Amino acid sequence: MIKNYMEDIIDHILPDLIKEHKDICTCDRCIEDIKAVALNKLPPLYIVTEKGLVYTKLNELKSQFKINVITELALAIEIVSQNPNH
């Protein structure tokens, strides 16, 4: 099974960012739009094996990696907040 692990990373980080932005809409459509915008800007992290998962999780611990993900999510929150599709 092939999987884009970046989706899991976003699912893990996004709830904390949403708590910091209390003025944004948190309907399912807006949340999915935020994820889509961020995923389109971030490089995919496709994994197929457990070894790939371990390597990817180690990479996730690097601070620049996390900063990049948070930055793209914050930008996506702003984009969707200014142009909601619901």
Side-chain angles (χ1 to χ4, degrees), residues 13-74:
I13 294 174
L14 185 57
D16 291 333
L17 287 179
I18 289 173
K19 290 177 189 172
E20 294 175 15
H21 295 86
K22 297 189 185 294
D23 58 333
I24 66 166
C25 178
T26 57
C27 74
D28 289 342
R29 177 67 188 257
C30 286
I31 297 300
E32 293 298 313
D33 285 347
I34 291 167
K35 290 179 187 180
V37 170
L39 283 167
N40 281 327
K41 297 288 185 173
L42 292 164
L45 293 173
Y46 293 110
I47 57 171
V48 178
T49 64
E50 286 296 317
K51 185 177 179 181
L53 178 61
V54 171
Y55 172 78
T56 303
K57 284 187 176 186
L58 287 174
N59 189 37
E60 185 181 344
L61 296 175
K62 294 179 182 176
S63 37
Q64 186 60 51
F65 176 84
K66 192 168 185 177
I67 290 168
N68 292 345
V69 173
I70 291 170
T71 299
E72 290 303 332
L73 280 169

